[in-house]
Amino acid sequence: MIATIVTNKGTMKVNLFEKEAPITVENFKKYAEEGFYDNTIFHRVINGFMIQGGGFTKDGVQKETQAPIKNEAKNGLSNKRGTLAMARTNAVDSATSQFFINHIDNSFLDYKNDMNYGYAVFAELTEGFEVLDEIAKVKTGTKSYFQDWPVEDVIIEKITIE
């Protein structure tokens, strides 16, 4: 299964890992197909780390989500450059709609043990690394109490699944 992420900076294609992360892929697919991601933004951008989006409008309003899902970080996949993983709070099973794309290899985010659970990788970029790199380099600042918020909006226009 392939997802296409269309942004105002270009298009990225990702291969979804249905076998390794079935709950997470189904969750992402559901949000994409209902148009939840349309006109959301990458609201947290850290060059040399990751870009995070899928939960806020460009006005800084956090969208209402479905219930959190089980963390599938124990699936053996690593947070390497170009992989997508679910963002979450400190609670292990708290991921909803937000995801991040690793700008570099971030193996410290992988599952280590039940005390250091990690972040569930569920997809990998197949096209659009130059878009990832361009987004990672945008100028950021602080918006309200959020740090690393892009000064100019990086908009997720839509995500489609094929």
Side-chain angles (χ1 to χ4, degrees), residues 3 27-38 159-161:
N27 178 69
F28 181 79
K29 181 180 166 199
K30 185 172 63 173
Y31 279 115
E33 288 177 340
E34 45 182 56
F36 180 91
Y37 292 126
D38 297 1
I159 298 177
T160 56
I161 308 290

Side-chain angles (χ1 to χ4, degrees), residues 20 23 54 60 97 113 131 133 144 155 158:
E20 297 87 348
I23 296 166
S97 66
N113 55 52
V131 177
D133 291 340
S144 181
I155 301 168
K158 77 177 351 218

